[in-house]
Structure formats: C-alpha cells, structure tokens
Amino acid sequence: PDAIALSAAGRLTSFADLDRRSSQVARALRAKGVRPGDRVVYIGASGAEFAEVMYGTAKTRAIFTAVNNRLSAREVLAILADAEPGVVVTDAPAAALVAGFSGAVLVTDGGYQSWRDSAPAEDSGETAGPDETALLLYTSGTTGAPKGVELTGRNLGCALHELHTDIGLDTRSVCAAPIPFFHIAGLGMLLAANLNGGNLLLEQAADMAGILRLLVERQVTHAVLVPTVLQRLLALPEARTTDWSTLAYVVYGASPIPLPVLKAATEIIGCKFLQSYGLTESTGGFTLLGPADHVPAAEFEHRLRSAGRPMAGSPVRVVDPVTLADCAPGGRGEVIVSGSRVMKGYWRKPEQTAEVMLPGGWLRTGDGGSFDKDGFLYLHDRLKDMIVTGGENVYPAEVESVMTGHPAVAEVAVVGVPSDEWGESPWAVVVLAPGASVSGPELIAWTRDRLAHYKCPAGVTFVPSLARTAS
C-alpha cells in the first residue's frame, strides 16, 4: 500500500492514496446521483486526479470518459452532448472548454478536493460484469465527428495481458510515458504500471536534454518514446557518456525505427525494443514486434519496417476491401482484426458500428497492409491516403519510412499532388534534423536507390515543422 503509484514534481501518490481517494470519488459521485451506466468525464492534463476519477468511476459501475484537452471548446461541447455525462471533472486550464456545459463541473484546483474529501473512503462494493462498457474514448474525428469507442472490462483485461507478461513490469519498475492518458496508448501504460505495482512518472520535460535527464536521474526502466524522439535523444553528445543501465525497455509506435537509429540505440543504450500497432477500437495494440525482432543487421532490416506479428487471441487478416477475400502473402489489402480486444461498438451509433464491424466479429481498420511469408504485418497507410500514380498504388507510409532513414531527415510527410503526366505524383514535405543539410535532388536520388522510381517523390518542400491536429 505504501509503494508509489504515481510521481509528479513535488507530489507522490501511493497505492493506498489512490485506493482511498478513488473510493471517496465513488461515494461523492453516488451522492451526486451518478448510477451504474452513467458517464463521468475527465478533461485535463495527465495527473493523479485522472486516475482517481477513473477508478472512482469504476467503483460506481459508471462509464469513465476521457476527453482530449487539446480540442476546441466547440469540439469538447459536441462530445459532452453525445456522452451526456452526469459529472465533468476538469483541471483549471481546461475549465474554459466546458464553460458552455450546463451540467455539474468540478475543477481540480477549485472545488474538486473538498467535494472528494467530504465523502467517506469506503469502497462502494459494486462488481461490474466483464462485458459491461467500462470506458468511453472518443476518436480524433479525422473522417467526421468524433465517435465514442465503447471498451469493456474484457477488452481492457485482454489488452493488458500482453503488457503484463511481455515487458518485465514489476514492483521495481519506473515507467515514463509522455503520452496523454486520453489516448489508448497512454492509458494503457497507466493501467499496466498500476496493475504490476510499478511507479509511473507524470513529469514532463520541455526539450531533449530534459528528457534525457529525466530518464536517467529518475532511473526509468520502461519508456514510451516515438522513433523521432529516440533519434533526437541519440543525437545529443551527452547520450554517449550517459549511464543507461537502468533503462530496460523502450516501447514505441506511430512509425518504424529506421535501421541507423536502431543501430545507434543498440550501441548507446543497449535496451530492448518493443513496437505495437492498433487502434482505439481494438483497445490498443494487436500486433507485436518484440525484442527478438529488433536485430540491428541489414538482413533483418525489412522486419523493422513491419508492425510485427499478431498477438495471441487477436486473429488478423489482410483482405480485398471490396470482396473481403483474403490476400496472399505480399498482396495488399485492408487489415481486419477480431478477438477479445475488439470494441463493443460506437456509443449510440449503430449504423457507424455496422460500417466497421463485419460478420464474425471482424473489425475493419481502414489501414492498408500486407503479410510476408513469415507472418509479419506491413502497413501501407490509410486506404484513403493512397496515391495512384500512372496506375500504380503508392502508400505514403512506405515512402515516409524509407526517407526517415536518411540521417538529415527528422520528419517527413508524403502527399499526392496533381500531375498532368501521371494523374498524381508523390511529394515530400521534410523537416530537417537539427544542424543537418541536404538538398531536394540529393534526397530524391537517395530515395531512388531504395524504392521503385514511381514511389519516389517528384519534389521536396522543406518546412520548419509539420502541421498537427489536436491528436
């Protein structure tokens, strides 16, 4: 009970604290009229209050709903209108986002603490069934209005099993996951650290040098880092003189690790690497590229571009998106997945649920992919993002993966532009690594040594940063 569950600057939360406070939240929610099946929203930074409200909501058998605090007020109010929560908890910076909400709002730096602490610290004794909706996470809405993804206790338990068994989490672990908890990846690490008795750092660093100090000084054992951040960390001169002996695992996603980056990381850090691919609708990852697959040798480089192989209990197929016939190894189609991780459905949207759920419980991901003969899954971008040039299909993610391997490239986005000759041509928008220099023609020539020419960008635009949505 006295072990530390959550660490923030100047504030430590033990497991006993978390249990006591979440029981108080549960009793206070019940006093406000929240009943099983009602929704309770949290919107704010990833602090200890997030966990208190999440577990307190679970103790009332209500549905915890985490909302992106980077959205606009209009977007947030649209989500609240859809979820119809009984109570909204927010931190001070996010309070303005819910100013137009007519229901009960509690601010963590305001009345929340007194509201919580006025209730008894007694577990309410509710027991949820495994197929009841436990969690509601809203998608980013890139193809329309955000949809609430209903995840059950069974979904969460089965998804956590892999993190529970495969990455050595235990009571000695110190985890750093600078990913917002309203994302399934950030929430998954919070739950996995809590499940295994580990200490989850809530501290954030503003720059690469700060991230390096945080990882080392806090003796982090498990870190979630996207490949771009890993690449920038390794570029710091002090990275080569730092004692990395406590860092055992780096968990990553969003893009592959280029071979030069893996070689440098293996030489400098020497930890194990693990990548997973999944969706909110699949309760996070359902494929795994494990430590044994991260071999920094040229003959295994192709595997680094994969998303790994399907996890136990998560059958995955690649099918023709029209006929739904299975594609042969090497054939490209739509990735579909089934099993115990697949969502219950979209909240109050049966028609949209039916659009993505196929007979037999198969979920359409909307992602293009292919299997190789060894069962590794390769992603080829969103089907809607595919570029058709001269009758050939080009998947931006494949081109981006190759171009990110150039030492001068920090980030790249490949898009289709109109072409009188080919109908459409790939074009690269590139962010250079700090202090690096390369010309557009040099970068195109480098790419042509590694890809079919029709896949290579017809031109390059250099920009200081890539545009981003709230997600």
Side-chain angles (χ1 to χ4, degrees):
D2 295 330
I4 302 303
L6 303 168
S7 298
R11 180 183 178 189
L12 301 178
T13 302
S14 69
F15 283 95
D17 294 333
L18 195 50
D19 184 41
R20 183 182 71 257
R21 292 171 188 162
S22 60
S23 289
Q24 289 178 306
V25 168
R27 292 288 182 174
L29 288 173
R30 183 62 57 86
K32 270 199 170 292
V34 172
R35 295 293 181 264
D38 291 348
R39 277 72 57 208
V40 175
V41 162
Y42 182 91
I43 177 166
S46 298
E49 290 86 0
F50 182 104
E52 295 171 12
V53 176
M54 176 177 67
Y55 291 128
T57 301
K59 288 180 178 184
T60 65
R61 280 179 62 204
I63 300 172
F64 180 70
T65 306
V67 176
N68 186 339
N69 63 337
R70 299 173 183 173
L71 298 175
S72 68
R74 178 184 59 81
E75 292 169 309
V76 168
L77 291 175
I79 289 174
L80 297 183
D82 188 64
E84 294 183 317
V87 171
V88 173
V89 179
T90 174
D91 63 9
L97 298 176
V98 300
F101 179 64
S102 59
V105 176
L106 297 157
V107 181
T108 55
D109 294 335
Y112 167 80
Q113 277 83 359
S114 59
W115 169 79
R116 178 197 66 198
D117 293 342
S118 65
E122 299 171 2
D123 192 303
S124 51
E126 293 281 358
T127 303
D131 296 315
E132 291 181 26
T133 301
L135 184 66
L136 199 57
L137 292 179
Y138 277 81
T139 63
S140 58
T142 54
T143 56
K147 300 181 289 290
V149 176
E150 292 187 70
L151 300 178
T152 66
R154 190 187 305 276
N155 291 152
L156 292 164
C158 293
L160 283 169
H161 173 74
E162 218 73 35
L163 282 174
H164 180 65
T165 58
D166 283 0
I167 60 173
L169 281 170
D170 59 29
T171 55
R172 299 163 296 177
S173 300
V174 179
C175 305
I179 301 172
F181 292 161
F182 57 74
H183 282 310
I184 190 65
L187 184 61
M189 184 52 82
L190 166 64
L191 292 171
N194 286 174
L195 174 68
N196 290 279
N199 176 3
L200 181 66
L201 296 184
L202 301 178
E203 298 174 48
Q204 303 264 345
D207 55 21
M208 288 299 120
I211 292 175
L212 188 149
R213 286 194 300 272
L214 186 70
L215 293 174
V216 174
E217 292 175 6
R218 295 292 188 164
Q219 297 186 312
V220 170
T221 61
H222 295 73
V224 179
L225 301 171
V226 296
T228 299
V229 170
L230 181 63
Q231 184 176 12
R232 292 177 180 176
L233 276 176
L234 297 173
L236 295 174
E238 55 265 43
R240 292 187 172 272
T241 58
T242 292
D243 180 3
W244 293 104
S245 57
T246 59
L247 186 58
Y249 281 87
V250 167
V251 182
Y252 71 98
S255 66
I257 287 186
L259 182 60
V261 177
L262 179 64
K263 285 181 175 178
T266 302
E267 174 193 344
I268 295 170
I269 301 177
C271 66
K272 297 177 181 179
F273 294 89
L274 182 145
Q275 185 211 156
S276 185
Y277 153 68
L279 318 163
T280 306
E281 289 89 338
S282 62
T283 324
F286 57 83
T287 70
L288 190 68
L289 190 71
D293 300 316
H294 288 80
V295 181
E299 60 264 37
F300 298 107
E301 181 178 7
H302 63 285
R303 286 187 181 173
L304 297 177
R305 295 195 294 271
S306 80
R309 288 180 279 197
M311 294 182 187
S314 290
V316 180
R317 295 161 56 199
V318 174
V319 301
D320 183 291
V322 177
T323 66
L324 301 181
D326 286 277
C327 298
R332 296 184 174 187
E334 182 177 3
V335 178
I336 62 174
V337 59
S338 70
S340 51
R341 292 177 176 84
V342 173
M343 67 172 180
K344 188 174 183 177
Y346 291 125
W347 175 255
R348 294 175 173 171
K349 289 182 170 58
E351 297 85 1
Q352 283 153 300
T353 300
E355 288 174 5
V356 300
M357 293 301 301
L358 299 171
W362 291 92
L363 171 71
R364 303 190 73 148
T365 67
D367 288 329
S370 63
F371 277 115
D372 68 12
K373 60 181 177 60
D374 298 315
F376 287 83
L377 178 68
Y378 294 78
L379 298 175
H380 307 297
D381 226 316
R382 298 290 291 172
L383 293 177
K384 293 178 180 178
D385 291 342
M386 186 178 69
I387 300 166
V388 181
T389 177
E392 299 283 359
N393 295 338
V394 176
Y395 292 90
E398 179 184 11
V399 188
E400 291 162 358
S401 174
V402 170
M403 296 186 73
T404 306
H406 191 287
V409 175
E411 292 180 304
V412 57
V414 172
V415 297
V417 296
S419 167
D420 292 337
E421 185 175 4
W422 306 111
E424 203 175 12
S425 291
W427 195 279
V429 183
V430 172
V431 179
L432 291 175
S437 177
V438 66
S439 70
E442 288 172 335
L443 196 51
I444 292 170
W446 187 88
T447 308
R448 285 188 167 194
D449 287 339
R450 292 158 175 81
L451 282 175
H453 285 198
Y454 71 85
K455 296 180 180 179
C456 297
V460 178
T461 298
F462 293 98
V463 295
S465 62
L466 295 179
R468 282 174 163 76
T469 65
S471 295

